[in-house]
Amino acid sequence: MIERARRYAVLGTGAVGGYYGALLQRSGFEVHFLARSDCEHIARYGLAVRSPMGDFVLPKVHVYSEAGTMPRCEVVLVTLKATHNHLLASMLPSVVAQGGTVVLMQNGLGGEAEIFPWAAGAQILGGLPFICVNKTAPGQIHHIDYGLVTLGAFGPDYAPQGQSPVLLQVAEDLQQAGIAVETAADLMLARWRKLVWNIPYNGLSVLLNARTDQLMENPATAALAEQLMAEVKAGARACGRDFPDAFIEKMLDHTRAMQPYRTSMKIDAEQGRPLEVETIYGHPLRIARRAGAQMPRVEMLYRQLQFVDARIRTVGKVATRA
Amino acid sequence: MIERARRYAVLGTGAVGGYYGALLQRSGFEVHFLARSDCEHIARYGLAVRSPMGDFVLPKVHVYSEAGTMPRCEVVLVTLKATHNHLLASMLPSVVAQGGTVVLMQNGLGGEAEIFPWAAGAQILGGLPFICVNKTAPGQIHHIDYGLVTLGAFGPDYAPQGQSPVLLQVAEDLQQAGIAVETAADLMLARWRKLVWNIPYNGLSVLLNARTDQLMENPATAALAEQLMAEVKAGARACGRDFPDAFIEKMLDHTRAMQPYRTSMKIDAEQGRPLEVETIYGHPLRIARRAGAQMPRVEMLYRQLQFVDARIRTVGKVATRA
């Protein structure tokens, strides 16, 4: 086993954190996992990954139920659900090593700005995982497909940071662990581009209890998805980020060609988990509004989802609409 | 019993048609009821009305399962669900007497223009029932509250017709039957005003599986309801119909003060019945667009409801969202 220089912390050993963290440890990095509910199980049995790239087991991992007992690490991967980001206020100051790096591995936009005050001077990177992976049981990770991480450096007001040394270093670590990495010189642009897909499909799939194929088969919702994408593009443009209309066409075609897919927000709703409403809708809406853009349809989806989310937080799991 | 001059046909003996038709017959009008599914039952047992205004039974009524077997009537009350309006193409020509009148007793906007070609030269009135009434079983009508009908005359392009003689005559008949009537010189204005309430609450109650009180308690959906109302006002204004902002305030306050209420569209969704999507959303949107107004949020609600409606028409009843 090669000894690597940087220690990694993984905050949140769900599907994404379990998978990427296990790959890092397998390639020789020292990795410390925070697993609040599964800690005892993982301490006893380790982590098991099933993957088309090869199954493997890590019988022994460093695992903690409290961030306060973890050692300081040079790189902290945040793989919590964005709905738990408020917990980072107390976690990050004790986990990040002096001069360290925090990688916020979540969808949406605005999370880096949210956690910035708690990062104790660490550099912040944003990570966008394009991956299909589930946690099937405590410590059991089932990787189904994809796995690319887009990494970009965060700076105040999301000013483009280019290819910073820290960015390249973390990218290299991940690549050495067998993870496909793409670096983005402009994190905000990367996040807006991913929102083009996430904003229409996550929200509509929850509200209409539908898979992506069902949304695209119905001309009314297919047209609505396209309108929502156009609003996201307008929001991005107000922030000085542009991409061609062809990108929207590509996302629509891609979704039409995809296997029937349940979005992550749909799965959260089915499981009675709070929805990532702020990071996917609330923050981007406020960022776009400050930049002068209105996104009326996206805002409407946000309000509808706030209602559903409030109900989930009150009564737990909500029955789905057939 | 007083003998009245005009014969009435009631096309659709559900809650609204059963109630108003029974009142007309009780006051001496000759009334002919079309009741496709309940015909046999009503022929045998008549109609029974339970109401805070007094219960009564009509043991003997003229009832038909096919419009083609009905006699021609001077006034035809259309109390079908708007989703069945296409049936009027074959019904009206054989039921309306020469020089007769058709009263379209439905919510929404655009229905009169839709049935105009089939009305065989009859005058068309629009009726907006403000009533809380249910059909509890075949021939069993339970009137709970309210009952006012707003009547207005229809003319090409919804040009205001003022107080036409036919309008006043039908209004007088209804009043003689004990029905509260308000005449509207401008049918389109009356319909736009009623849409101020129907557009937000019908659609959101279906999508979010919510009663009116739940929609108003959540600040996100309360704000969305107000935005939808403002768009309806903009649509009306583009059509040359205006009402003060205070009217929107009044509707919001009224809804906050109301008893928890399930909208008619919510009940339709629960029962697996097609939704009145075109008359409440599709027609008004197209009328407003022709007049130059965009209503992006109303259009989005329309598209979402088209998806739900298509699912209802495919799979029947859809489970509700808790």
Side-chain angles (χ1 to χ4, degrees):
Chain A
M1 190 186 273
I2 317 150
E3 276 297 324
R4 306 289 188 184
R6 279 171 294 286
R7 283 187 304 188
Y8 274 75
V10 172
L11 302 186
T13 311
V16 170
Y19 179 66
Y20 290 125
L23 287 176
L24 283 161
Q25 175 169 332
R26 185 178 64 163
S27 73
F29 287 96
E30 185 180 316
V31 182
H32 298 269
F33 294 89
L34 177 71
R36 285 166 306 155
S37 52
D38 300 344
C39 182
E40 211 169 312
H41 190 281
I42 295 172
R44 182 169 302 180
Y45 302 105
L47 282 171
V49 174
R50 193 148 56 93
S51 168
M53 323 266 288
D55 302 353
F56 65 97
V57 176
L58 302 174
K60 186 113 203 75
V61 301
H62 303 293
V63 62
Y64 309 81
S65 64
E66 295 290 339
T69 61
M70 298 175 76
R72 289 190 182 275
C73 295
E74 283 72 36
V75 186
V76 177
L77 298 188
V78 176
T79 47
L80 297 168
K81 279 262 160 201
T83 49
H84 287 101
N85 280 357
H86 59 281
L87 301 175
L88 296 169
S90 60
M91 289 180 181
L92 290 181
S94 71
V95 177
V96 190
Q98 182 77 29
T101 304
V102 175
V103 185
L104 190 71
M105 196 82 97
Q106 295 174 343
N107 282 317
L109 173 61
E112 292 88 2
E114 183 187 1
I115 69 166
F116 178 74
W118 312 322
Q123 301 229 25
I124 300 182
L125 306 180
L128 291 90
F130 292 77
I131 189 168
C132 194
V133 63
N134 296 316
K135 186 182 87 172
T136 53
Q140 305 287 313
I141 308 298
H142 183 198
H143 172 224
I144 298 159
D145 207 352
Y146 309 106
L148 175 74
V149 175
T150 299
L151 274 186
F154 171 73
D157 293 327
Y158 284 95
Q161 303 294 304
Q163 312 277 351
S164 74
V166 167
L167 174 70
L168 296 173
Q169 194 176 68
V170 172
E172 198 188 316
D173 288 354
L174 296 181
Q175 281 163 337
Q176 288 192 7
I179 301 165
V181 177
E182 209 173 69
T183 59
D186 182 354
L187 175 62
M188 189 185 236
L189 174 61
R191 290 208 168 280
W192 274 118
R193 285 168 65 100
K194 193 153 189 214
L195 284 172
V196 168
W197 197 91
N198 276 327
I199 281 184
Y201 294 110
N202 274 286
L204 292 177
S205 69
V206 168
L207 286 169
L208 300 173
N209 187 27
R211 297 184 314 260
T212 50
D213 58 313
Q214 295 167 321
L215 295 173
M216 292 310 286
E217 271 161 21
N218 186 304
T221 40
L224 178 54
E226 186 169 352
Q227 288 181 316
L228 287 161
M229 289 181 180
E231 285 193 3
V232 176
K233 181 177 152 79
R237 201 185 307 118
C239 297
R241 269 66 172 190
D242 210 356
F243 40 81
D245 285 337
F247 180 71
I248 288 178
E249 283 306 318
K250 197 177 112 188
M251 286 295 108
L252 292 167
D253 290 345
H254 166 70
T255 310
R256 268 191 211 95
M258 257 166 54
Q259 289 298 309
Y261 184 70
R262 287 187 311 156
T263 66
S264 60
M265 189 171 279
K266 176 77 168 67
I267 294 170
D268 284 341
E270 286 174 11
Q271 305 283 326
R273 289 193 294 256
L275 308 180
E276 295 186 313
V277 168
E278 290 309 318
T279 190
I280 297 184
Y281 298 92
H283 292 329
L285 272 164
R286 289 183 285 271
I287 288 169
R289 193 180 306 135
R290 277 200 297 275
Q294 301 299 317
M295 303 194 283
R297 293 175 186 84
V298 176
E299 186 200 62
M300 176 160 160
L301 203 45
Y302 175 48
R303 292 190 155 149
Q304 293 176 320
L305 291 167
Q306 284 179 294
F307 184 92
V308 175
D309 185 52
R311 184 170 277 178
I312 288 174
R313 288 170 192 263
T314 309
V315 305
K317 201 179 294 193
V318 295
T320 52
R321 189 185 290 289
Chain B
M1 189 186 273
I2 317 150
E3 276 297 325
R4 307 288 188 183
R6 278 171 294 284
R7 284 188 302 188
Y8 274 76
V10 172
L11 302 186
T13 311
V16 171
Y19 179 67
Y20 289 124
L23 286 177
L24 283 161
Q25 176 169 332
R26 186 179 63 163
S27 74
F29 287 96
E30 184 180 315
V31 182
H32 299 268
F33 294 89
L34 177 71
R36 284 168 306 156
S37 53
D38 300 343
C39 182
E40 212 170 311
H41 190 282
I42 295 172
R44 182 169 305 179
Y45 302 104
L47 281 170
V49 174
R50 193 148 56 91
S51 168
M53 322 267 287
D55 302 353
F56 64 96
V57 175
L58 303 175
K60 186 113 202 72
V61 302
H62 303 293
V63 61
Y64 309 81
S65 63
E66 296 290 339
T69 61
M70 297 175 76
R72 290 190 180 276
C73 295
E74 283 72 36
V75 185
V76 177
L77 298 189
V78 177
T79 48
L80 296 168
K81 280 263 160 202
T83 48
H84 288 100
N85 280 357
H86 58 280
L87 302 175
L88 295 169
S90 59
M91 288 180 180
L92 290 181
S94 70
V95 177
V96 191
Q98 181 78 29
T101 304
V102 175
V103 185
L104 190 70
M105 196 82 94
Q106 294 173 343
N107 281 317
L109 173 61
E112 292 87 2
E114 182 187 0
I115 68 167
F116 178 76
W118 311 322
Q123 301 229 24
I124 300 182
L125 305 181
L128 292 90
F130 292 77
I131 189 166
C132 194
V133 62
N134 296 317
K135 186 182 88 174
T136 53
Q140 305 288 312
I141 309 298
H142 182 198
H143 172 225
I144 298 160
D145 208 352
Y146 309 106
L148 175 75
V149 175
T150 299
L151 275 186
F154 172 74
D157 292 326
Y158 284 95
Q161 303 294 304
Q163 312 278 349
S164 73
V166 167
L167 173 71
L168 295 173
Q169 192 176 70
V170 172
E172 197 188 316
D173 288 354
L174 296 181
Q175 281 164 336
Q176 288 192 6
I179 301 164
V181 177
E182 211 174 68
T183 58
D186 182 354
L187 175 63
M188 187 185 239
L189 174 61
R191 290 207 168 280
W192 274 118
R193 286 169 64 102
K194 195 155 189 213
L195 285 172
V196 168
W197 196 93
N198 277 327
I199 279 183
Y201 295 109
N202 274 286
L204 293 177
S205 69
V206 168
L207 286 169
L208 300 174
N209 188 25
R211 297 183 313 259
T212 50
D213 58 312
Q214 296 167 322
L215 295 173
M216 292 311 285
E217 271 160 23
N218 186 303
T221 39
L224 178 54
E226 187 170 352
Q227 287 180 315
L228 287 162
M229 289 181 181
E231 284 193 2
V232 176
K233 182 178 151 76
R237 202 186 307 118
C239 296
R241 268 66 172 192
D242 210 356
F243 40 82
D245 286 337
F247 180 70
I248 288 178
E249 283 306 319
K250 197 177 113 186
M251 286 295 107
L252 292 166
D253 290 344
H254 166 70
T255 310
R256 268 191 211 94
M258 256 166 53
Q259 289 298 310
Y261 185 70
R262 289 186 311 156
T263 66
S264 61
M265 190 173 277
K266 175 80 169 64
I267 294 170
D268 285 341
E270 286 174 13
Q271 306 282 328
R273 288 192 293 255
L275 308 180
E276 294 187 312
V277 169
E278 290 309 319
T279 189
I280 297 184
Y281 298 91
H283 292 330
L285 273 164
R286 289 182 285 271
I287 288 169
R289 193 179 306 135
R290 276 199 299 273
Q294 299 299 317
M295 304 195 282
R297 293 176 186 84
V298 176
E299 186 200 62
M300 175 159 160
L301 203 46
Y302 175 48
R303 291 189 157 149
Q304 293 175 320
L305 291 167
Q306 283 179 295
F307 183 92
V308 175
D309 185 53
R311 184 170 277 177
I312 289 174
R313 288 170 192 261
T314 309
V315 304
K317 201 179 295 193
V318 295
T320 52
R321 188 184 289 289

